[in-house]
Amino acid sequence: MLSPELKQQIRSSFDGAKTQLNNFSNRSSQNKMIAEISKTLMGEYPNSNPIICVEAPTGTGKTMAYLVSCLPIAKALKKKLIIASANVALQEQILNKDIVEATKYASVDFEFALAKGRSRYVCIRNLINLTEENSNSRELFEDALLWDEKPTKNDLDILSEMAESFSSKSWSGEIDDLESPPENSLWQKIACNRFTCNSKNCEFYNDCSFFKARKRASNSDVIIANHDLVLADIINGNNVLPDVEDCIFIFDEAHHLSQKALSHFSIGGSTEFMKASIRQSQGSIEQIIKITKSKAADSYIEKVDESIKDLIELISELDFKDDTFLFSIKGIPNEITNLTKKLFVIFNSAYNDFCQFKEQWEEFVKTNKIDQPTTDNINNIVGQNNQNLSSILSLLSTFNQIQDPEKPPLSNWINQSRLANKKYNYQLNSAKIDVSTSLKNMIWSKAAGVVLTSATLTALGSFDRLNQQIGLNALDNQYLRLPSPFDHKSVEFIVGKIKSSPTNTYEHTQEVAQELIKRIDSQSASLVLFASNNQMQEVADLLEKSVDCELLIQGEYSKKNILERHIQNRKNGKGSIIFGLDSFAEGVDLKGDNLNHVFISKLRFSVPTSPIEMTTQSYLESMNRNAFMEISLPDASLRLIQACGRLIRTETDSGTITIFDNRLITKFYGKLLLKALPEFKIVVE
């Protein structure tokens, strides 16, 4: 329960924000958000989890609201506050602006830190070993096949420069602090890796940038992260963040969480990767045998090559579409699973042998004096091999998993790609189509508290779609939809009179171009949102010569550059038009006269294109459920509201929204989509 002292701390923080923040606006919706978060986290609702979902429209001041309420509560409960955003832009805003402001107005003192994944930090031991003048250690590294090809002089020069910068303390050891980061393939050779890390046994432990960052995070009250890091860290056993039970989580932009989670519950590996991994494993064993003078080991290279050759013969006969073959939800054919099971048995035997030599090496190092670079390189090779073989076993095990009829099926598919020798490389993939149970088991059932918030969390006016995606039960948690602080009634939402349905692509594109020529004001600021790149390019070609102002098209410039040029045009009193796709329908903040009219070419319905989406649709249809009503329509509603949200960003903003999609009038679902919109003045031409 909220104690009088805690209530006072929250009230004091809010009062401090009033005096400390520039342009502070006292909004009732913000007060409501603070109160509901506080009551939920402190258990004031009987039989309810400490979980709340808050839809807080733009202008609510949601970041300040969750900081005012959560900071004192986290301190009182002695829990870490984890703030996770979906993208880098918001993460940087929270880190560099919002949390800094909170240190001034918060009624409790707190320390904060930024958390990044281990691979964002250099392993100084690896960097030194690769750059020091020790040809023997380099040969070991190359002999063990960790390098795809021999490092070039330029590679070694880049690494030497990084080592000097780290030694002189002009570089922190984080890849994000490098002006010119190395290519990913080179960085991976020197990045921190949990499979190759010696932790406290490493001679560079006290200088390690990763462990310094982890120490800062462990000593902080607030940790700023992103969805991907939180999910990856929890799945891998909390290497960066505290245990889930010791945390209160804030998931900002929570409408992205389910898609982020889906990507973390997929696994893949190619036939070429398997062949390379068994050779690397054999190479590391031979290095160990050479140093320890042990007996020769069995080689599994020939067995793996033969089995993969047989597998490729079967796979090559599949009917690939756009280099992808998706297996039916009924399962993978027996002739393929028989071979992947055979591969699993071979790799399992190889892994068991590898582990014996790994243990033998670890014991040998304890009782024998070996030069440090050799020890470090062998440890790295062994750690990398351990990771590779483990991932292959996980893939083959998952790929052969027997379907539980009581659970959603896995999505299993194969991608093909051409190698330099014109042969094919085949990537086996397996993924969950439903992560709701996993999220429930990993986070919702364990966390000390959770706040999920976004400007758009509901679809068709309901939290049902969100609950379905991330595994929340509506009866067990708290939900809050806040009204917008802006006057949407002054905005005209025009359903343009247009003959062609968007399903008739050519005719619709021609009509959209003609309508834009008639409606765009070359003296004002317009944003035109498209659902497909092809239509955007075709309309641009038809429109370009007819508008008397700059037309900024996504793809021709970066998003950042487009927005900068657009704003500069407006400062110079010129008209400006932006043509954009999905990324411009969200996270674009053009206030005042920087945006007068938003045009939407058509509704953005999800067309199942990815294997996971197609498997999901097949699964729903197999249960006589309607994938359109359950997925496509709610998602289209959310996307339409997000697109409309680009127009009104402050209390004084105004303008017009025009959509060229007659399905809002001709289809039964049109009324549902219009009803879910903010209180616009809807005009049907």
Side-chain angles (χ1 to χ4, degrees):
M1 300 291 284
L2 279 162
S3 66
E5 180 185 2
L6 196 49
K7 286 180 182 178
Q8 182 55 45
Q9 286 179 339
I10 294 170
R11 195 174 296 116
S12 296
S13 293
F14 188 63
D15 291 339
K18 290 181 185 178
T19 57
Q20 291 290 335
L21 297 181
N22 295 327
N23 304 318
F24 177 86
S25 297
N26 194 353
R27 299 192 175 105
S28 59
S29 57
Q30 190 178 54
N31 296 342
K32 179 74 171 173
M33 183 172 175
I34 292 169
E36 290 303 310
I37 288 175
S38 302
K39 288 191 283 187
T40 300
L41 295 182
M42 293 307 296
E44 297 216 351
Y45 290 106
N47 304 316
S48 176
N49 295 323
I51 298 173
I52 184 169
C53 300
V54 185
E55 183 172 83
T58 302
T60 303
K62 63 181 170 64
T63 309
M64 196 207 86
Y66 63 60
L67 288 174
V68 163
S69 50
C70 291
L71 283 169
I73 289 173
K75 289 282 281 189
L77 296 177
K78 297 181 180 178
K79 302 296 181 184
K80 299 284 187 181
L81 184 61
I82 313 294
I83 304 173
S85 64
N87 64 51
V88 174
L90 180 56
Q91 188 177 15
E92 289 178 348
Q93 179 188 309
I94 293 169
L95 177 69
N96 299 321
K97 179 178 178 288
D98 298 322
I99 203 74
V100 174
E101 290 176 341
T103 60
K104 300 173 184 175
Y105 64 69
S107 59
V108 293
D109 294 328
F110 65 91
E111 297 291 328
F112 64 91
L114 176 66
K116 298 180 183 180
R118 190 192 289 257
S119 64
R120 307 305 294 174
Y121 300 90
V122 73
C123 172
I124 190 61
R125 184 195 69 214
N126 287 355
L127 182 61
I128 289 173
N129 285 340
L130 283 177
T131 53
E132 68 179 7
E133 294 303 319
N134 185 327
S135 59
N136 290 332
S137 66
R138 286 187 189 164
E139 285 170 12
L140 273 173
F141 228 92
E142 294 161 29
D143 289 346
L145 304 177
L146 273 188
W147 292 91
D148 300 323
E149 54 188 31
K150 193 173 181 178
T152 65
K153 183 180 182 300
N154 184 53
D155 287 337
L156 296 175
D157 287 345
I158 290 170
L159 296 177
S160 295
E161 188 177 329
M162 290 166 64
E164 289 172 15
S165 297
F166 187 87
S167 180
S168 65
K169 298 186 177 179
S170 59
W171 176 47
S172 67
E174 298 180 35
I175 189 173
D176 302 303
D177 291 342
L178 289 171
E179 284 188 20
S180 301
E183 289 186 6
N184 185 59
S185 58
L186 183 60
W187 174 256
Q188 290 307 316
K189 300 294 185 289
I190 57 167
C192 279
N193 182 319
R194 67 190 179 96
F195 286 92
T196 62
C197 182
N198 289 338
S199 190
K200 292 182 179 179
N201 295 323
C202 178
E203 60 185 305
F204 300 104
Y205 175 77
N206 291 329
D207 297 313
C208 178
S209 53
F210 167 70
F211 283 104
K212 282 183 177 179
R214 194 164 82 165
K215 186 176 181 181
R216 283 195 300 272
S218 67
N219 292 333
S220 297
D221 306 289
V222 180
I223 301 173
I224 300 160
N226 57 48
H227 295 182
D228 284 317
L229 174 63
V230 171
L231 291 164
D233 195 58
I234 292 172
I235 291 169
N236 292 319
N238 296 103
N239 295 299
V240 178
L241 302 174
D243 291 339
V244 175
E245 294 87 343
D246 297 324
C247 298
I248 293 173
F249 292 92
I250 299 170
F251 289 102
D252 208 334
E253 299 172 309
H255 61 283
H256 285 297
L257 187 59
S258 65
Q259 284 301 315
K260 295 282 187 183
L262 279 170
S263 67
H264 285 273
F265 287 97
S266 63
I267 188 168
S270 73
T271 49
E272 289 299 307
F273 174 69
M274 292 180 197
K275 289 194 284 187
S277 295
I278 203 69
R279 283 165 171 75
Q280 289 177 358
S281 169
Q282 190 68 34
S284 64
I285 289 173
E286 288 171 2
Q287 294 289 354
I288 292 170
I289 289 171
K290 184 179 176 181
I291 295 171
T292 61
K293 296 181 172 56
S294 306
K295 290 181 180 179
D298 292 335
S299 174
Y300 293 89
I301 292 174
E302 192 174 329
K303 290 180 181 178
V304 168
D305 286 352
E306 287 176 1
S307 294
I308 287 178
K309 182 183 177 183
D310 293 340
L311 180 62
I312 286 174
E313 284 182 11
L314 274 180
I315 291 174
S316 63
E317 295 174 1
L318 299 174
D319 184 17
F320 283 83
K321 294 179 181 177
D322 297 324
D323 291 327
T324 299
F325 180 84
L326 175 64
F327 290 101
S328 161
I329 60 171
K330 295 177 182 177
I332 302 168
N334 288 336
E335 54 267 30
I336 291 180
T337 57
N338 287 339
L339 283 175
T340 52
K341 285 174 182 175
K342 182 181 177 182
L343 263 176
F344 177 85
V345 171
I346 296 169
F347 269 103
N348 195 45
S349 296
Y351 183 63
N352 289 335
D353 284 4
F354 167 80
C355 288
Q356 287 181 13
F357 279 98
K358 177 173 173 283
E359 291 172 11
Q360 184 178 319
W361 165 251
E362 289 166 354
E363 290 301 317
F364 185 83
V365 170
K366 291 177 185 177
T367 56
N368 294 271
K369 190 173 182 180
I370 307 168
D371 66 281
Q372 197 61 46
T374 300
T375 302
D376 289 341
N377 284 330
I378 292 289
N379 287 343
N380 282 345
I381 294 162
V382 167
Q384 189 67 55
N385 293 160
N386 189 31
Q387 179 182 13
N388 292 349
L389 294 177
S390 297
S391 70
I392 290 168
L393 286 172
S394 295
L395 169 65
L396 293 172
S397 175
T398 306
F399 204 75
N400 296 322
Q401 194 170 304
I402 297 172
Q403 176 60 37
D404 183 345
E406 300 300 316
K407 295 180 180 179
L410 293 175
S411 181
N412 296 307
W413 73 98
I414 298 176
N415 296 117
Q416 66 178 9
S417 58
R418 286 276 190 184
L419 299 169
N421 60 11
K422 295 188 178 180
K423 290 184 179 180
Y424 276 110
N425 183 25
Y426 294 99
Q427 169 101 0
L428 279 61
N429 304 279
S430 188
K432 290 187 177 184
I433 65 168
D434 183 349
V435 295
S436 58
T437 302
S438 298
L439 291 176
K440 181 180 179 181
N441 294 338
M442 289 191 324
I443 306 176
W444 316 140
S445 64
K446 295 180 178 179
V450 181
V451 178
L452 298 118
T453 186
S454 174
T456 45
L457 272 190
T458 61
L460 296 174
S462 165
F463 285 98
D464 289 350
R465 174 72 172 135
L466 178 73
N467 289 336
Q468 175 201 49
Q469 288 177 306
I470 64 174
L472 295 177
N473 187 327
L475 299 176
D476 296 336
N477 314 294
Q478 297 303 308
Y479 298 85
L480 178 64
R481 287 189 76 194
L482 295 170
S484 173
F486 304 148
D487 179 19
H488 286 115
K489 292 178 181 177
S490 64
V491 174
E492 279 194 340
F493 180 92
I494 300 171
V495 182
K497 186 177 181 181
I498 193 161
K499 295 178 182 177
S500 305
S501 168
T503 55
N504 299 321
T505 307
Y506 176 79
E507 293 84 355
H508 183 256
T509 299
Q510 297 295 314
E511 232 180 317
V512 167
Q514 292 304 313
E515 289 298 322
L516 287 172
I517 290 170
K518 288 191 293 186
R519 297 170 191 256
I520 285 180
D521 179 357
S522 295
Q523 302 303 310
S524 66
S526 302
L527 170 63
V528 188
L529 297 170
F530 293 89
S532 81
N533 185 58
N534 284 342
Q535 187 177 55
M536 180 176 74
Q537 298 298 336
E538 288 173 19
V539 171
D541 290 341
L542 294 166
L543 187 78
E544 205 158 14
K545 295 177 182 177
S546 303
V547 292
D548 189 24
C549 63
E550 186 170 19
L551 177 58
L552 300 162
I553 303 168
Q554 183 175 351
E556 294 184 4
Y557 308 97
S558 69
K559 182 178 180 180
K560 181 181 178 183
N561 189 235
I562 285 175
L563 294 173
E564 288 173 349
R565 292 176 67 145
H566 178 82
I567 291 169
Q568 191 59 49
N569 284 338
R570 300 305 289 152
K571 282 182 180 177
N572 296 337
K574 298 178 181 178
S576 189
I577 306 166
I578 295 174
F579 272 23
L581 300 166
D582 282 4
S583 61
F584 276 85
E586 184 180 357
V588 171
D589 193 23
L590 295 169
K591 297 182 177 73
D593 206 35
N594 287 323
L595 187 56
N596 312 113
H597 202 145
V598 172
F599 294 94
I600 302 169
S601 68
K602 63 179 180 180
L603 297 166
R604 291 185 294 154
F605 285 109
S606 296
V607 178
T609 53
S610 75
I612 295 175
E613 291 169 340
M614 289 190 279
T615 302
T616 303
Q617 178 170 321
S618 296
Y619 172 61
L620 293 177
E621 288 173 353
S622 73
M623 300 175 69
N624 295 318
R625 289 164 60 182
N626 190 320
F628 178 80
M629 293 301 293
E630 288 194 37
I631 298 175
S632 298
L633 188 59
D635 289 356
S637 173
L638 187 142
R639 289 170 182 154
L640 178 59
I641 293 168
Q642 284 175 337
C644 293
R646 296 317 97 214
L647 183 66
I648 306 298
R649 310 300 294 173
T650 70
E651 285 93 336
T652 56
D653 286 354
S654 61
T656 306
I657 301 167
T658 302
I659 185 168
F660 302 117
D661 196 323
N662 56 18
R663 290 174 295 184
L664 284 167
I665 308 303
T666 62
K667 298 294 183 180
F668 75 92
Y669 53 76
K671 290 181 181 179
L672 298 174
L673 293 170
L674 292 174
K675 185 180 178 182
L677 290 172
E679 294 183 333
F680 297 136
K681 180 183 177 183
I682 295 175
V683 178
V684 178
E685 292 183 340

